[in-house]
Amino acid sequence: MSTHSSSTATATATAETTRIEADPTVPVIRMTRDFAATPEQLFRAHTDPALFVRWVGPDSLNVTIEHWDATSGGSWRYVARRDGQEFRFRSCFHEVRPDRLVQTFTFEAEPDGVALETLRFEDLGDGRTRLHAQSLVDSFEMRDAWLRGGMETGVNEGYAKLAALVSSGAV
């Protein structure tokens, strides 16, 4: 078991935010964000555990990787900690390739709430990439609970940290 801990990355103020949309006909959340990064940099930030822990989630969490195998058929598990509380997450990678990741995502406190996530890295040229992410869940109720539960804050704070890591040269 490998263990990596997050270190605090200071996100610079940016006008970039993630567009988060709930599909009205399917229990899907779609997210889009542009980065001043290459597709290769974003792919690496999503598949290298030492980088991943530095940006994932809201600023208030400290993430430790318990298991990480970013290969097609591999899996991961991490623990996010805040104020003495622990939140555990796990996933199976279904497809890992430089332009696309397909994985499940499970918050272990709600084991029946498995999401199927697809991430695409669209090269916009000039060192810019558009990240397209979608999470398909079992029900509209689950989707709406995710949206009400602070998902937007965690996504925007996490991606701001990722943008800062890229601009600092760490990715």
Side-chain angles (χ1 to χ4, degrees), residues 32-54:
T32 308
R33 169 127 180 192
D34 291 356
F35 287 90
T38 65
E40 294 80 12
Q41 287 173 303
L42 290 185
F43 175 78
R44 185 170 164 236
H46 282 82
T47 58
D48 180 330
L51 293 171
F52 183 81
V53 296
R54 294 177 64 187

Side-chain angles (χ1 to χ4, degrees), residues 9-169:
T10 304
T12 57
T14 177
E16 297 277 353
T17 57
T18 306
R19 187 172 64 240
I20 300 173
E21 300 172 330
D23 188 300
T25 60
V26 179
V28 168
I29 299 169
R30 290 190 179 89
M31 297 175 283
T32 308
R33 169 127 180 192
D34 291 356
F35 287 90
T38 65
E40 294 80 12
Q41 287 173 303
L42 290 185
F43 175 78
R44 185 170 164 236
H46 282 82
T47 58
D48 180 330
L51 293 171
F52 183 81
V53 296
R54 294 177 64 187
W55 68 264
V56 71
D59 297 342
S60 61
L61 293 179
N62 183 328
V63 175
T64 303
I65 302 291
E66 292 187 345
H67 168 75
W68 193 272
D69 177 12
T71 60
S72 294
S75 61
W76 58 253
R77 184 173 193 248
Y78 70 80
V79 180
R81 293 178 178 85
R82 172 182 46 221
D83 300 328
Q85 294 181 298
E86 290 189 348
F87 310 94
R88 297 180 184 281
F89 302 88
R90 61 186 159 93
S91 173
C92 294
F93 285 107
H94 293 265
E95 181 178 31
V96 177
R97 62 182 209 218
D99 65 331
R100 176 178 150 109
L101 296 173
V102 179
Q103 64 185 2
T104 58
F105 178 86
T106 305
F107 174 43
E108 290 186 1
E110 297 178 15
D112 293 337
V114 179
L116 178 62
E117 297 188 333
T118 303
L119 289 82
R120 285 187 309 108
F121 308 106
E122 178 187 357
D123 190 346
L124 301 176
D126 296 327
R128 295 200 51 86
T129 300
R130 180 164 296 145
L131 172 64
H132 300 273
Q134 76 172 29
S135 296
L136 172 65
V137 296
D138 286 341
S139 69
F140 289 100
E141 294 80 16
M142 182 184 303
R143 181 202 65 193
D144 294 345
W146 281 27
L147 293 169
R148 284 190 312 270
M151 176 185 177
E152 182 177 356
T153 299
V155 167
N156 280 317
E157 288 181 2
Y159 284 158
K161 290 183 286 189
L162 175 52
L165 284 172
V166 171
S167 70
S168 75

